[in-house]
mmCIF file of all heavy atoms in Angstrom:
data_model
loop_
_atom_site.group_PDB
_atom_site.id
_atom_site.type_symbol
_atom_site.label_atom_id
_atom_site.label_comp_id
_atom_site.label_asym_id
_atom_site.label_seq_id
_atom_site.Cartn_x
_atom_site.Cartn_y
_atom_site.Cartn_z
ATOM 1 N N GLU A 475 -63.523 6.009 8.451
ATOM 2 C CA GLU A 475 -64.496 7.113 8.497
ATOM 3 C C GLU A 475 -63.740 8.487 8.425
ATOM 4 O O GLU A 475 -64.196 9.385 7.704
ATOM 5 C CB GLU A 475 -65.280 7.058 9.796
ATOM 6 C CG GLU A 475 -66.276 5.916 9.827
ATOM 7 C CD GLU A 475 -66.855 5.746 11.234
ATOM 8 O OE1 GLU A 475 -66.555 6.555 12.123
ATOM 9 O OE2 GLU A 475 -67.645 4.765 11.412
ATOM 10 N N GLN A 476 -62.644 8.587 9.091
ATOM 11 C CA GLN A 476 -61.818 9.823 9.078
ATOM 12 C C GLN A 476 -61.265 10.020 7.691
ATOM 13 O O GLN A 476 -61.136 11.141 7.204
ATOM 14 C CB GLN A 476 -60.801 9.802 10.159
ATOM 15 C CG GLN A 476 -61.396 9.901 11.565
ATOM 16 C CD GLN A 476 -60.356 9.804 12.654
ATOM 17 O OE1 GLN A 476 -59.165 9.626 12.402
ATOM 18 N NE2 GLN A 476 -60.736 9.902 13.926
ATOM 19 N N LYS A 477 -60.818 8.899 7.060
ATOM 20 C CA LYS A 477 -60.292 9.023 5.670
ATOM 21 C C LYS A 477 -61.329 9.515 4.748
ATOM 22 O O LYS A 477 -61.058 10.397 3.852
ATOM 23 C CB LYS A 477 -59.739 7.677 5.261
ATOM 24 C CG LYS A 477 -59.045 7.681 3.910
ATOM 25 C CD LYS A 477 -58.374 6.327 3.588
ATOM 26 C CE LYS A 477 -59.404 5.252 3.314
ATOM 27 N NZ LYS A 477 -58.767 4.022 2.781
ATOM 28 N N LYS A 478 -62.585 9.088 4.862
ATOM 29 C CA LYS A 478 -63.659 9.528 3.979
ATOM 30 C C LYS A 478 -63.995 10.956 4.242
ATOM 31 O O LYS A 478 -64.209 11.754 3.314
ATOM 32 C CB LYS A 478 -64.889 8.675 4.239
ATOM 33 C CG LYS A 478 -64.749 7.218 3.770
ATOM 34 C CD LYS A 478 -65.974 6.368 4.099
ATOM 35 C CE LYS A 478 -65.827 4.926 3.645
ATOM 36 N NZ LYS A 478 -66.992 4.109 4.104
ATOM 37 N N GLN A 479 -63.947 11.350 5.512
ATOM 38 C CA GLN A 479 -64.251 12.768 5.859
ATOM 39 C C GLN A 479 -63.156 13.679 5.263
ATOM 40 O O GLN A 479 -63.429 14.742 4.771
ATOM 41 C CB GLN A 479 -64.298 12.938 7.379
ATOM 42 C CG GLN A 479 -65.507 12.248 7.989
ATOM 43 C CD GLN A 479 -65.471 12.250 9.495
ATOM 44 O OE1 GLN A 479 -64.510 12.753 10.110
ATOM 45 N NE2 GLN A 479 -66.464 11.660 10.150
ATOM 46 N N HIS A 480 -61.926 13.231 5.291
ATOM 47 C CA HIS A 480 -60.836 14.018 4.810
ATOM 48 C C HIS A 480 -60.918 14.131 3.291
ATOM 49 O O HIS A 480 -60.695 15.196 2.709
ATOM 50 C CB HIS A 480 -59.475 13.372 5.163
ATOM 51 C CG HIS A 480 -58.273 14.100 4.588
ATOM 52 N ND1 HIS A 480 -57.851 15.312 5.134
ATOM 53 C CD2 HIS A 480 -57.472 13.808 3.605
ATOM 54 C CE1 HIS A 480 -56.783 15.743 4.432
ATOM 55 N NE2 HIS A 480 -56.508 14.832 3.495
ATOM 56 N N SER A 481 -61.334 12.998 2.588
ATOM 57 C CA SER A 481 -61.464 13.024 1.167
ATOM 58 C C SER A 481 -62.624 13.969 0.747
ATOM 59 O O SER A 481 -62.529 14.693 -0.279
ATOM 60 C CB SER A 481 -61.787 11.634 0.646
ATOM 61 O OG SER A 481 -60.707 10.760 0.954
ATOM 62 N N THR A 482 -63.686 13.985 1.537
ATOM 63 C CA THR A 482 -64.849 14.839 1.213
ATOM 64 C C THR A 482 -64.473 16.317 1.375
ATOM 65 O O THR A 482 -64.829 17.188 0.611
ATOM 66 C CB THR A 482 -66.034 14.499 2.098
ATOM 67 O OG1 THR A 482 -66.375 13.159 1.981
ATOM 68 C CG2 THR A 482 -67.221 15.366 1.796
ATOM 69 N N ALA A 483 -63.674 16.553 2.468
ATOM 70 C CA ALA A 483 -63.288 17.945 2.767
ATOM 71 C C ALA A 483 -62.335 18.539 1.699
ATOM 72 O O ALA A 483 -62.360 19.742 1.424
ATOM 73 C CB ALA A 483 -62.633 18.008 4.117
ATOM 74 N N THR A 484 -61.555 17.632 1.099
ATOM 75 C CA THR A 484 -60.578 18.075 0.080
ATOM 76 C C THR A 484 -61.172 18.020 -1.309
ATOM 77 O O THR A 484 -60.562 18.540 -2.226
ATOM 78 C CB THR A 484 -59.304 17.279 0.130
ATOM 79 O OG1 THR A 484 -59.630 15.891 0.009
ATOM 80 C CG2 THR A 484 -58.565 17.417 1.463
#
Side-chain angles (χ1 to χ4, degrees):
E475 289 169 4
Q476 291 177 358
K477 185 172 69 171
K478 290 176 183 176
Q479 292 173 359
H480 179 72
S481 299
T482 303
T484 56

